[in-house]
Amino acid sequence: MSVAKINLDELNNEALLVEEHESMISIYWGRLKRHRLAFISLIVLALIILGVAIGPLIMGQMTYYNVQKDAYVNYARDTQDLQSKNVSPSSDHFLGTDELGRDVLFRLLIAGRLSLTISLSVVLIQVSIGIFLGAVSGFYGGWVDSLIQRIAEFFIILPALPLLLTLSSILRNVRIPGIPPEWSQSIFIIVILSFLGWPGSCRLSRGVVLSLRNQQFTEAAKALGMSDLGIITRHMIPNALPPIIVLATLGLGGVILTESALSFLGFGINPPVATWGNMLQNAQTDMLTAPWKALIPGFFILISVLAFNYLGDGLRDALDPRLKL
Amino acid sequence: MINYLIRRSLQMIVTIIFATFAIFVILNAVPGGPLSGLNQTGNTRDRLSDEQIARIEQALGLNKPLPLRYLTWVAGEDWVDDVAAVIGRSEAWANYQTPRCIDAGRTNAGAQTDLETSPCGRGILRFDFGVSWQMARGQEVSEVIWGRLGNTVRLMATVSVLSLLIALPIGIISAVRQYSILDYVVTTFGFFGLSMPVFWLGLILIIIFGFQFRECFGIDACKEAFGSLPYFPSGGVESSRILPGSIQDVFGVAKGSSFDRIIHLTLPTLMLTFASLASWSRFMRSSMLEVLRQDYVRTARSKGLREYVVIVKHAARNALIPVITIVVFEIPAIFSGAVLTESVFSYPGIGRLFIGALGGNDWPIVMAILYISAILVVFATLVGDILYTLIDPRIRFD
Amino acid sequence: MIKLKKSLLAIVGLSALALVLSACEAQIVEVEVTRVVTETVVEEVMVEGEVVEVEKEVEVVVTATPEPAMEEEAASKDLIICMAQEPETLYVYGGGTLVASAIRHAVFENDITTLSYDFQAQGLVKLPSLSDGDAVINTVDVTEGDMVLVGGEPKALEVGDEVATADGETVTYEGGTISMEQMVVDFEMKPRVWSDGTPVSASDSVYSYSLAADPDTQSSKFNIDRTASYEATGDLTVQRTMIPGFLDSEYHIGFWGPLPEHAWGGFTAAELIEAEESSRMPMGDGPFVIEEWVPGERITMVKNENYYRASEGYPKVDTVTYRFIPDTNSLVLQLLSGECDIGTQDGMDVAQSPFLLEAEAQGQLTPYFQTGTVFEHIDFGINSYGDYGDGIGRPDWFEDVRVRQAMTMCTDRQSMVDNILYGRSEVIHTFIPSVHPLYPEGLTEWPFDVDAGNALLDEVGYVDSDGDGIREDSITGVPFAITLGTTTGNEMRQQLTQIFKDNMIECGIDVELYYQPAGEWFADGPDGVLFGRRFDLGEFAWLTGVNPACDLYISENITGPEEEGFGGWGNASETGWVNEEYDAICNAALGSLPGTPEYEENHKEAQRIFSQEVPVIPLFLRLKVAGAGTNVKNFGVDPTQNSELYNLFEIDLE
C-alpha cells in the first residue's frame, strides 16, 4: 500500500484525542455533573433562555387593563400607561411598571433576548476569529506569528470606548433592510465588541497549537501531503477547542456586563429598545426613591452572568483542569 | 535572548505608532469635534467670524492635514517651517504652526527650557503632551494627568494588593479542598463580585453604607438608640466637613487628614476588590491544582511530611510562580484606573478624566492617556513574556 | 442666547459668550449710602398637599451705617457648594460654561444682573438710558473712509453704499459729507476694589475692552466692530461711542467688565488664555478670593477682606468651597447629609423630585424648582438640505402648515409636563414663557386635541388607506413613518420622545426614535444630522435670555453653505422654514430700541406668526432644579439669571 493511499480519516482518528468521540463527551459530562453549581447553572441558563424565547410569545396572548388608554391592551405592544407609572408588582404587572407605565416583566424578557443574542453572537464571532488566527499564528510561526501577534496587541491597545463612539456615529443611521431597527442597531455593537475581543482566544489557541506543532502526528500528517489548512482545521483547532470553550463561556457573561457598562456611559443601545443594561441605567435616577426598580434588571444580569461564570468554571474543571483562566 | 528583546522592542514601537495613529484617525473621524458648535448660537452678537474660527483652528493645530498633525503631535512643531523650506512648501505651510509659535519666530530657541513657556509645541518625543483644550483649558496636559495620577494609583494599587492578599489564600484553599463546601462558598463569593455590574454594586454600596446607615435603615429603635449608624461618605476624596454620626466623627478623624482619605477610599476599594477577587483566585486555584498533581508533591507527601507543610512550602510556592507573571499585566490598569468606579464614587482619577476628555473633545488629554497606557500594555506584555522564560526554561523564543 | 446642549456647552467655551452678557457676569462694584433692593423671592408653600409657588416682593432697605465691625463669631462660616462639573477655565474670555459663571460670581463683582426678565445694575451705579441722558444719539458728519454701519454690517464708507442718514432716510452715498446718527453711552462704576487693595479704575474696563478686541481672544467681535471708541472719561466712568448708524438695542448693557490690568498687564491676550493668573487663580473684585484649586476635586475660597462692600457686612460667610461631584445620586445624598450646603442646577435632576420633596417634608433640605428661559422643542425638517428628505422618496411631509398644526395638536404636552417634570413647569406656545413681559395677547395656543389633529391630517390628504393604522401619502402611497432624534443619555428627553411617539401613533404617524451623543447631535453641518438639516424631526433646547429670540427662526439664519445663500454651517435655524413676513417683522424688532413701541409690537407680532406657523412644536420650559440646606439663607433660583449663585455675597448660613 502506497503512502498516498492511506486513508486520511483513519489517520485522524488514530492521531487525535478526539478519537473516541462518544466516550470523551460522556467523560466530560460526568465531570461537569460533579461540579454541582455548574450543573445548576446550566439548568438556570436553560430556564432563562427558554423564558426569554417563549415568555414574550405567551405574554403576546395576554392583555391587561391600561388606565391611560382605558382599554385592555396586549402586553406585547409594550404600551405606555402614564396613569400607572412606577407601580409596584400587581396581578396586572408581575414586576410592576417603569417610569412610563410599561410592563417591566415583558420588557425584561424582550431585553433578555437582545442581551443574550448580542452576547452569544459576540462570543461566537470573536472566538471564531481568534481560534483561527491563533492556530495559523502558532502553526506557521515566524513572521506570520509576529504579524498576527502584533495585530492582536494593536487591538488590545485600541480603546473600546472611542471606537464604539466613532463607529456608532458612522453606523448609527445605517439600516439593514428587512430586520427590525433594534437588531440593526445591535449589530454594530456586536461587530465592534467582536473585533475588540478576539485577541484573548487567539493567544489561547496559539499556545495550544504551539505545543502540538512539533508532535509526531503533525509531522505524519504533513508527510502524508495534508494541506496546511487541513492540518489546522482538522488537527489543531479541535485540540484548541476545550480551553476556548471555557474562555467563551466565561466571555458570555463578560459581554453582558460590557453592554450594561456601555449603556451606563450612554453609548449602548438606545431606548425605547430595552436591554438589561439600559433598563438598569434608566432606573439609576430612581435609586433613592425606588431602589427595587434597579434591583430587578440588576438581578437578571447578576444571575445570568453568574450562571455563565459557574458553567465556564465547571467546563474548565471538566475539559482542562490545568487551564488558567 | 538579547536578539529577541531587541526585535520585540522594535516591534513594540511599531505597534504603538500604529495604535496611536489609528486613535488619531478615529478621533478625527467623529462628526463634531472641537470646532463644531463654535457658532451655534442664535444670537448674531455671539457669532465668530470665519477669520476668528480659522485662527482658533490654527491655534489648536487643526488646520494641518492629518498626517502632519500626527507628526507634530509626535515630534513638535518647531521644525515645520524648516522642513517646509527644504521641500519648497514654505508658502503653503505658512500657517501650519500655532500663532504663538509664529509670533516667537517659529522656534523655541531663546525661550526658557520649561514646557510652559516654550512657544512652540515640542511633541511627545520631547515629553510635551500639549495643553488641554477643554477639561482644564490652557493647562499642560502632563500637569493635568499628574494631578489625577496620585488618586488613581492609590486606589488601584490598594485594590491590587488587597485582592491578591485575599484571592491567593482563597485559591489555595479551594484547590486543596476541591468541590468541598468551602470551595463552593469562596468561589461563590468571588463569582458574585465578578458577575455584578460594577456601577450597580457601587450605587447599592453608597445607598446602604452612605444613606441607610445614616437613616438607621428607617428603624425607629435603632434611631433612638444610636441616632445613626457610623456611615461612610458617598464619594469624593476627602471630607469638606465632618458630620455628626459619620464614621469620621465616630473615630475622631480630622477632615482632610490621611485617615479621612482612607475612609473615602474604603467603599471604592471594597467594591473593586470584590469585583477582581474571582479572576485571581480562580487563576491561583488552577495553578495549584496543577501543582498538586505533580510528582514532587506526591513524593513530599509520601515522605510523611505534614499536609500543611506540603501545601504551603512545596505546592503553593510553585503554584505562585505563574501567578506572579500575570500580576505584571495589572500595571497598565494601575495607571488607567477604573472608569465606572471613579464615576460612581465621584473619585477624581484618570478614568474619569479620560471619559470627560472624550466627551469634551479634549484630544490632547485623550491622546496622552491612551499613549501612556499603550506603552504600559506593551511593556507589561514584554515583561510578562520574559518572566515566563525565566520561570519555565522550556519556553524558548525564536 | 446660547443653545443649550450639555456637553457642547463645554465646547462652546472656546467661542465664549464673550459679548456683553458675559461682561455682565464679570464684575463691578457698588458703594452707596442707602439703597433699596427689590428681591423676588420664590417660595413654595404647601397648601392642602399641593405645592403652590408664591412670589413675594421684598423690599429691603440697606443703610450704610454698617453694624460696627462684624460681631465676633465663634466659628467661621464655611459654605460648601456642590456642583457636577468642573469649569474648564475661569478666564472671562476663555469660556462661558454655566459652572464657570457660577464660580466667577464669587471672584468678580457682577456689573449687571439679569433677574426676572430684566437688567439691573449691580456693580454699576446705574444702567444708562436714553431718557436719563447718559445715553444720547448725536448727529455726526461722516466722510468717505469712516467706519459706519452699512446694511447691518460695519464697513468703511465708500461711494455707492446705502446708509441711513440722521433724517431717517436711506440714501446712496455719493461722496462728500453726510450726517448720520451716532450713539454715545456713559457708564459709571461703583468704587470697587481689587482683592489686593488696588482700586478698580475705568482704565481696567478699557483694558478689558482691549483684550476682548484682541484677535487672539476667542470671542465674538460683534460689539467690538461696532464700537468706534471705548474710553475712560474719569476714574470710574467710561464712554462707549458706537460707529455712526449703529443704534444698539442693547446699548444699556454694552459695558466691558473691568479686569485687573495691574496684575495681567504683562501678558499678551494669547498668554492670558493659558496663564495661571487669569484662568485658574484670577484676581477679582468680588466677595471671595481663590485660595486653592484641586483639579477634579474642589476650589476653596476665602472672604475678600478688601471687598468694597465689606463695611456692609458682605460677604456673609467666611469661606466658600466648590466641590465637584459628577454623580447626581451622590450629590443629593451629600446635600441631604449636610456635607453640601448648596447643590447647583448642573448637578441635580428633575427625576429626583419625589425624593427631594420627601426630604423637604422631613425638614432635611429645601429644593428649588424654577422654570427658566430654556425651552425644549421638537423641530420639523421643513426644508432639508441637499438630497435628504424631499429628494429621496420621502414626501415633503411638513411643508404644509396644516400638518405641523395637526401634529402640534396631537402632542400631549401637558402630560409631558405632568409626568416628566412632575407638573412643575408649563407648556409653552412660543419661544418665550408666558410670564415674559413681551408675551403677546392673541397668540395661537394649540390645545391637545387628537380628533382635531386627525381631521386636519385627513384634510391634507394623508389618510390610512391600507388599514394598518399608519397614514399614507395619497399619491405615492409612502407611509407616514418618520424619525425623531435627540441627544443620548438624557432621561428627560428619552421620556418625552417616547411619549411623543405614543402620541403620534394616535394620529396615524409612525415615529422611530434615535439618540446621538450631544457632540455629534449638535455638530455643525454638513456632518451633523440636526444642523446639517438631514432630519425629519429633531428635539433639543434653546437657552434664550432676557430678550425674545425671534432671530432663531429668520431665514437669514438657516444653516447651510453661504455660497448657496444660506446663513453658513453652524447657524441657528435648522428647520429651513422661510416666512418673509416673519423675517421682516423680526428684523424690525431686532433693529429697534427697547422701550419703544416698535420694539414691543414687532416682537409680539413675530410670536403671533410663529405660533400660527409652528415651524417647531414648543414643548415646555425646562426646570432649573437646585437644592440647599435648610440653614442656607438668601439662596434662590432666578428664571433669567443663568447661575443661581449670582448673589453669593449675601448668601448666609444660620
Side-chain angles (χ1 to χ4, degrees):
Chain A
M1 183 164 68
S2 75
V3 174
K5 276 187 189 160
I6 290 181
N7 186 337
L8 280 179
D9 286 336
E10 242 169 59
L11 181 80
N12 289 345
N13 289 339
E14 282 164 22
L16 285 179
L17 299 169
V18 278
E19 56 190 318
E20 290 158 62
H21 245 291
E22 292 302 312
S23 61
M24 276 314 282
I25 286 179
S26 66
I27 289 174
Y28 289 154
W29 179 244
R31 284 201 214 151
L32 184 64
K33 276 202 286 194
R34 274 188 64 201
H35 196 303
R36 264 170 289 168
L37 282 174
F39 191 68
I40 294 170
S41 296
L42 196 62
I43 296 168
V44 169
L45 282 174
L47 286 178
I48 290 177
I49 291 171
L50 206 69
V52 300
I54 297 178
L57 297 179
I58 297 174
M59 293 186 81
Q61 307 298 318
M62 295 158 62
T63 58
Y64 69 97
Y65 179 66
N66 185 312
V67 184
Q68 189 190 2
K69 301 252 187 297
D70 190 20
Y72 282 89
V73 176
N74 194 317
Y75 282 105
R77 283 185 55 199
D78 198 17
T79 318
Q80 298 171 10
D81 182 358
L82 296 171
Q83 308 287 331
S84 52
K85 48 176 192 162
N86 285 334
V87 301
S88 41
S90 65
S91 58
D92 261 354
H93 305 285
F94 293 123
L95 291 178
T97 59
D98 69 0
E99 63 280 356
L100 291 174
R102 295 170 296 200
D103 187 71
V104 169
L105 177 62
F106 180 76
R107 287 178 69 76
L108 262 184
L109 294 175
I110 286 287
R113 278 187 184 181
L114 204 60
S115 295
L116 290 177
T117 314
I118 291 177
S119 168
L120 283 168
S121 329
V122 167
V123 167
L124 243 141
I125 296 174
Q126 71 185 26
V127 161
S128 313
I129 300 175
I131 204 172
F132 181 74
L133 286 182
V136 168
S137 174
F139 184 76
Y140 289 105
W143 66 269
V144 177
D145 185 30
S146 277
L147 181 70
I148 292 179
Q149 289 314 303
R150 294 302 84 75
I151 293 174
E153 240 161 50
F154 171 78
F155 274 95
I156 291 173
I157 294 173
L158 274 192
L161 226 44
L163 257 189
L164 274 170
L165 193 72
T166 317
L167 296 180
S168 74
S169 56
I170 295 166
L171 300 175
R172 177 97 50 178
N173 296 320
V174 179
R175 285 274 172 276
I176 300 163
I179 59 169
E182 66 265 32
W183 293 109
S184 163
Q185 221 188 66
S186 344
I187 283 180
F188 79 83
I189 296 230
I190 293 176
V191 170
I192 296 163
L193 290 181
S194 313
F195 276 88
L196 291 177
W198 62 269
S201 47
C202 174
R203 298 203 149 180
L204 205 59
S205 86
R206 171 177 175 262
V208 176
V209 170
L210 267 181
S211 69
L212 294 179
R213 187 175 63 176
N214 298 325
Q215 288 191 10
Q216 285 173 346
F217 73 86
T218 317
E219 274 154 31
K222 259 187 195 162
L224 292 172
M226 204 171 178
S227 71
D228 288 350
L229 191 69
I231 297 175
I232 289 174
T233 52
R234 310 187 78 153
H235 297 274
M236 301 297 174
I237 290 179
N239 276 298
L241 266 183
I244 286 189
I245 287 174
V246 177
L247 181 77
T249 318
L250 294 172
L252 282 169
V255 175
I256 294 179
L257 287 180
T258 309
E259 190 270 321
S260 72
L262 281 177
S263 291
F264 177 78
L265 293 170
F267 298 125
I269 288 173
N270 284 320
V273 180
T275 66
W276 287 342
N278 70 26
M279 288 180 77
L280 193 55
Q281 200 267 336
N282 269 347
Q284 211 206 133
T285 39
D286 300 323
M287 274 303 254
L288 295 172
T289 34
W292 50 270
K293 257 180 71 188
L295 285 179
I296 295 171
F299 180 76
F300 267 71
I301 295 179
L302 173 64
I303 289 300
S304 43
V305 179
L306 198 58
F308 280 126
N309 282 332
Y310 271 126
L311 185 62
D313 198 49
L315 283 171
R316 174 202 5 241
D317 282 2
L319 300 176
D320 189 353
R322 290 178 298 168
L323 188 65
K324 296 183 201 76
L325 278 176
Chain B
M1 186 71 186
I2 300 290
N3 262 345
Y4 168 79
L5 278 184
I6 292 170
R7 207 176 63 225
R8 269 306 297 271
S9 305
L10 288 177
Q11 287 173 344
M12 268 166 54
I13 292 167
V14 174
T15 313
I16 289 172
I17 290 173
F18 269 105
T20 48
F21 187 67
I23 298 159
F24 215 80
V25 173
I26 289 165
L27 285 177
N28 281 281
V30 188
L35 289 174
S36 183
L38 280 181
N39 252 348
Q40 274 159 23
T41 119
N43 195 333
T44 23
R45 285 168 193 264
D46 299 5
R47 295 250 118 118
L48 299 182
S49 65
D50 292 345
E51 298 80 56
Q52 271 184 290
I53 291 180
R55 204 173 168 87
I56 294 172
E57 198 176 5
Q58 190 186 347
L60 300 182
L62 289 173
N63 55 345
K64 295 187 280 281
L66 193 72
L68 196 58
R69 226 187 285 171
Y70 179 74
L71 276 181
T72 51
W73 177 72
V74 172
E77 57 172 348
D78 45 351
W79 49 270
V80 170
D81 54 322
D82 304 327
V83 173
V86 170
I87 61 172
R89 308 290 292 273
S90 283
E91 213 160 294
W93 288 23
N95 284 329
Y96 284 178
Q97 283 161 308
T98 56
R100 214 181 139 191
C101 183
I102 293 173
D103 290 347
R106 300 173 186 267
T107 172
N108 279 327
Q112 296 88 322
T113 46
D114 61 321
L115 290 176
E116 211 160 328
T117 48
S118 43
C120 302
R122 291 162 180 267
I124 52 160
L125 289 184
R126 286 178 280 169
F127 306 103
D128 179 5
F129 292 101
V131 294
S132 162
W133 293 351
Q134 175 57 41
M135 297 294 286
R137 184 165 306 135
Q139 305 301 299
E140 290 290 332
V141 171
S142 44
E143 273 172 38
V144 175
I145 292 181
W146 186 248
R148 308 282 187 109
L149 192 59
N151 287 332
T152 290
V153 169
R154 265 192 294 279
L155 174 66
M156 298 307 288
T158 318
V159 168
S160 304
V161 171
L162 205 63
S163 51
L164 277 175
L165 283 180
I166 300 173
L168 298 186
I170 286 184
I172 295 173
I173 292 170
S174 58
V176 174
R177 305 246 181 280
Q178 202 184 1
Y179 300 132
S180 68
I181 298 286
L182 196 64
D183 182 17
Y184 281 132
V185 169
V186 292
T187 307
T188 306
F189 181 73
F191 274 15
F192 261 89
L194 188 66
S195 307
M196 283 194 201
V198 182
F199 58 93
W200 186 64
L201 178 60
L203 285 171
I204 290 177
L205 285 181
I206 289 177
I207 286 176
I208 293 177
F209 292 106
F211 179 56
Q212 295 293 1
F213 262 46
R214 189 160 51 78
E215 298 285 304
C216 253
F217 293 94
I219 301 166
D220 289 336
C222 162
K223 266 187 191 160
E224 277 162 30
F226 308 108
S228 68
L229 300 171
Y231 57 92
F232 278 89
S234 56
V237 175
E238 57 180 43
S239 309
S240 41
R241 61 167 63 119
I242 300 295
L243 302 164
S246 68
I247 196 152
Q248 294 97 322
D249 183 41
V250 170
F251 289 105
V253 173
K255 69 172 182 178
S257 64
S258 33
F259 281 114
D260 185 24
R261 287 174 161 258
I262 290 171
I263 289 167
H264 278 81
L265 265 178
T266 311
L267 288 186
T269 309
L270 251 180
M271 181 178 90
L272 276 177
T273 307
F274 188 38
S276 56
L277 262 189
S279 51
W280 290 118
S281 65
R282 294 321 273 175
F283 192 85
M284 186 65 200
R285 180 177 179 266
S286 310
S287 179
M288 193 68 188
L289 281 176
E290 186 184 356
V291 170
L292 285 175
R293 276 195 209 97
Q294 304 287 326
D295 290 342
Y296 62 83
V297 174
R298 231 171 282 156
T299 317
R301 278 199 179 122
S302 62
K303 280 201 302 193
L305 287 179
R306 275 185 301 141
E307 184 65 12
Y308 171 81
V309 176
V310 173
I311 286 168
V312 173
K313 283 222 159 156
H314 293 84
R317 260 194 190 179
N318 285 299
L320 261 178
I321 293 171
V323 176
I324 290 166
T325 63
I326 292 295
V327 172
V328 179
F329 291 104
E330 278 293 281
I331 295 173
I334 289 179
F335 166 76
S336 57
V339 175
L340 294 174
T341 313
E342 290 177 6
S343 302
V344 172
F345 287 98
S346 302
Y347 192 80
I350 302 281
R352 227 180 77 198
L353 180 71
F354 180 74
I355 284 292
L358 203 56
N361 281 317
D362 199 334
W363 296 351
I365 291 188
V366 173
M367 288 300 295
I369 293 178
L370 289 177
Y371 172 70
I372 297 172
S373 35
I375 289 184
L376 288 175
V377 167
V378 176
F379 178 75
T381 318
L382 187 66
V383 173
D385 284 356
I386 295 170
L387 280 178
Y388 263 132
T389 50
L390 295 181
I391 288 159
D392 187 351
R394 284 171 300 178
I395 300 174
R396 278 177 297 116
F397 291 115
D398 44 30
Chain C
M1 64 238 80
I2 306 160
K3 191 184 306 156
L4 212 264
K5 13 174 171 146
K6 259 195 168 175
S7 86
L8 252 201
L9 253 189
I11 303 164
V12 168
L14 275 176
S15 87
L17 326 178
L19 36 138
V20 191
L21 270 181
S22 93
C24 319
E25 284 161 12
Q27 57 267 45
I28 278 246
V29 187
E30 65 179 86
V31 161
E32 228 178 344
V33 181
T34 308
R35 65 191 191 107
V36 178
V37 185
T38 309
E39 297 176 311
T40 308
V41 183
V42 179
E43 289 190 352
E44 268 146 17
V45 185
M46 296 288 283
V47 182
E48 289 173 355
E50 277 195 61
V51 182
V52 180
E53 263 188 6
V54 180
E55 280 204 359
K56 286 193 203 165
E57 289 231 314
V58 190
E59 286 217 330
V60 191
V61 179
V62 185
T63 24
T65 32
E67 290 114 272
M70 14 247 101
E71 44 279 49
E72 296 289 313
E73 265 154 327
S76 82
K77 286 184 178 176
D78 304 312
L79 182 71
I80 298 171
I81 299 167
C82 294
M83 49 204 336
Q85 295 159 24
E86 183 177 9
E88 71 284 21
T89 173
L90 294 181
Y91 182 44
V92 181
Y93 300 124
T97 51
L98 177 65
V99 282
S101 57
I103 292 175
R104 282 200 288 259
H105 284 309
V107 183
F108 294 101
E109 181 69 5
N110 309 314
D111 304 303
I112 297 161
T113 51
T114 56
L115 304 172
S116 304
Y117 305 99
D118 205 356
F119 298 101
Q120 305 83 24
Q122 187 182 314
L124 295 178
V125 173
K126 72 180 278 293
L127 292 184
S129 83
L130 286 167
S131 52
D132 290 350
D134 40 8
V136 290
I137 298 174
N138 298 330
T139 302
V140 289
D141 291 336
V142 292
T143 55
E144 194 166 352
D146 290 347
M147 287 299 287
V148 296
L149 202 69
V150 179
E153 295 297 321
K155 78 185 282 274
L157 187 61
E158 295 172 39
V159 173
D161 285 339
E162 297 229 330
V163 291
T165 64
D167 313 329
E169 294 165 31
T170 305
V171 298
T172 307
Y173 178 68
E174 284 157 353
T177 303
I178 55 166
S179 58
M180 290 180 72
E181 285 184 314
Q182 183 174 46
M183 200 173 212
V184 180
V185 188
D186 288 297
F187 294 92
E188 184 179 359
M189 295 188 288
K190 292 177 183 169
R192 314 188 305 200
V193 184
W194 295 113
S195 59
D196 64 352
T198 314
V200 176
S201 77
S203 65
D204 287 328
S205 174
V206 176
Y207 172 65
S208 173
Y209 169 81
S210 69
L211 283 180
D214 194 290
D216 280 326
T217 299
Q218 298 158 354
S219 59
S220 168
K221 305 293 188 231
F222 183 95
N223 283 322
I224 306 279
D225 291 344
R226 286 161 181 73
T227 303
S229 72
Y230 189 77
E231 292 161 344
T233 49
D235 284 348
L236 294 171
T237 51
V238 288
Q239 185 173 65
R240 179 182 176 207
T241 309
M242 325 272 184
I243 57 173
F246 180 53
L247 301 183
D248 189 354
S249 63
E250 294 182 358
Y251 70 88
H252 53 305
I253 53 169
F255 175 77
W256 279 267
L259 294 172
E261 185 175 15
H262 65 287
W264 295 2
F267 295 100
T268 65
E271 284 166 348
L272 281 174
I273 296 172
E274 299 182 3
E276 177 93 4
E277 287 82 349
S278 49
S279 63
R280 307 291 286 181
M281 311 282 271
M283 173 192 291
D285 54 355
F288 296 94
V289 181
I290 304 178
E291 195 179 48
E292 190 188 14
W293 181 341
V294 185
E297 219 179 306
R298 60 169 200 275
I299 296 177
T300 49
M301 300 192 193
V302 294
K303 187 185 220 169
N304 175 6
E305 297 297 341
N306 288 317
Y307 187 50
Y308 77 111
R309 294 176 71 182
S311 59
E312 297 168 54
Y314 293 126
K316 292 290 188 186
V317 296
D318 300 296
T319 71
V320 172
T321 305
Y322 289 86
R323 296 182 58 213
F324 312 120
I325 304 172
D327 186 80
T328 314
N329 284 320
S330 247
L331 194 147
V332 170
L333 284 178
Q334 299 202 16
L335 196 58
L336 202 63
S337 70
E339 207 172 336
C340 301
D341 294 315
I342 292 173
T344 58
Q345 47 180 303
D346 59 300
M348 314 228 352
D349 196 313
V350 67
Q352 293 167 322
S353 299
F355 185 76
L356 293 174
L357 292 174
E358 196 184 303
E360 184 185 25
Q362 292 174 11
Q364 291 175 310
L365 55 79
T366 316
Y368 295 82
F369 301 95
Q370 174 66 54
T371 55
T373 52
V374 181
F375 70 106
E376 297 283 341
H377 46 87
I378 292 178
D379 292 19
F380 296 103
I382 299 172
N383 288 308
S384 298
Y385 179 71
D387 60 1
Y388 186 84
D390 318 354
I392 50 162
R394 138 162 117 80
D396 205 353
W397 300 116
F398 315 114
E399 188 60 46
D400 192 324
V401 65
R402 289 171 298 174
V403 174
R404 306 198 296 263
Q405 292 168 346
M407 285 175 72
T408 310
M409 284 194 284
C410 290
T411 311
D412 191 355
R413 295 178 281 179
Q414 191 56 46
S415 145
M416 293 179 183
V417 170
D418 291 344
N419 286 292
I420 304 169
L421 302 180
Y422 299 88
R424 292 181 165 272
S425 182
E426 58 173 36
V427 170
I428 50 165
H429 303 280
T430 172
F431 41 81
I432 56 173
S434 61
V435 293
H436 196 287
L438 290 174
Y439 191 81
E441 60 292 341
L443 193 77
T444 317
E445 298 183 354
W446 299 100
F448 171 52
D449 188 339
V450 178
D451 296 334
N454 271 317
L456 205 51
L457 285 167
D458 288 343
E459 189 187 311
V460 183
Y462 297 136
V463 276
D464 178 18
S465 46
D466 57 7
D468 64 351
I470 304 298
R471 297 169 182 278
E472 285 92 25
D473 181 35
S474 53
I475 302 156
T476 58
V478 177
F480 204 147
I482 49 180
T483 59
L484 165 61
T486 187
T487 55
T488 187
N490 181 321
E491 201 184 355
M492 178 188 71
R493 288 188 175 152
Q494 283 178 5
Q495 290 190 21
L496 85 85
T497 47
Q498 291 180 60
I499 292 176
F500 181 78
K501 178 185 166 79
D502 234 39
N503 288 158
M504 286 303 115
I505 290 174
E506 301 292 315
C507 286
I509 299 171
D510 180 36
V511 179
E512 188 192 312
L513 307 178
Y514 64 99
Y515 304 86
Q516 293 197 328
E520 245 171 73
W521 178 239
F522 295 117
D524 284 348
D527 293 342
V529 171
L530 185 66
F531 287 95
R533 285 199 279 131
R534 292 187 289 117
F535 63 97
D536 294 342
L537 296 173
E539 200 283 338
F540 65 104
W542 285 110
L543 161 62
T544 68
V546 172
N547 293 332
C550 70
D551 49 344
L552 288 176
Y553 302 101
I554 55 178
S555 57
E556 292 113 83
N557 282 347
I558 293 177
T559 59
E562 269 157 22
E563 313 81 89
E564 296 174 32
F566 297 113
W569 289 124
N571 214 315
S573 172
E574 83 310 336
T575 59
W577 177 61
V578 182
N579 184 304
E580 283 168 16
E581 191 192 358
Y582 178 86
D583 288 353
I585 286 174
C586 177
N587 278 323
L590 294 173
S592 50
L593 296 176
T596 58
E598 310 89 81
Y599 177 83
E600 192 167 312
E601 198 31 61
N602 284 323
H603 267 306
K604 289 185 170 177
E605 186 56 26
Q607 291 171 63
R608 287 190 198 105
I609 300 173
F610 177 86
S611 68
Q612 184 59 34
E613 288 281 324
V614 279
V616 311
I617 307 177
L619 297 174
F620 50 77
L621 292 173
R622 195 191 278 183
L623 275 178
K624 297 180 179 181
V625 182
T630 46
N631 59 337
V632 178
K633 285 202 308 186
N634 297 332
F635 178 74
V637 185
D638 185 83
T640 41
Q641 181 79 44
N642 285 342
S643 167
E644 60 277 43
L645 297 176
Y646 66 91
N647 64 341
L648 198 61
F649 65 99
E650 55 184 12
I651 292 178
D652 199 0
L653 290 170
E654 269 171 4

